[in-house]
Amino acid sequence: MQQTFEAWITPLMIGGLIIFMCFIIWDLAKKSNAGKFGTIMLFVVLGAGMLGYVIKVVITWLIEGGGI
């Protein structure tokens, strides 16, 4: 029962954390009056870590036999 719960809740919580971090980046851009280019750069630079994590999860899933 606990393993099933952990298997379902972990991706949901990490997804929620990623959405919250996107909100934080957006709020930072808004409060600093970054403009369009500055906002894009904030999302690219600060979002690169989140993107790297998502890519790692997808590659791991593919290697473990869930995909290719």
Side-chain angles (χ1 to χ4, degrees):
M1 175 80 174
Q2 182 179 357
Q3 290 177 343
T4 305
F5 177 74
E6 288 175 359
W8 282 95
I9 200 68
T10 302
L12 291 174
M13 296 300 285
I14 291 174
L17 180 63
I18 289 174
I19 291 170
F20 182 62
M21 289 169 68
C22 288
F23 169 75
I24 291 171
I25 294 170
W26 176 78
D27 191 49
L28 177 65
K30 183 179 171 186
K31 287 184 179 178
S32 66
N33 295 324
K36 286 184 181 181
F37 181 72
T39 301
I40 291 170
M41 286 296 105
L42 281 170
F43 272 99
V44 167
V45 172
L46 297 176
M50 292 183 291
L51 182 63
Y53 177 77
V54 171
I55 290 171
K56 180 193 82 92
V57 169
V58 169
I59 290 172
T60 304
W61 178 71
L62 289 172
I63 289 174
E64 289 180 351
I68 302 174

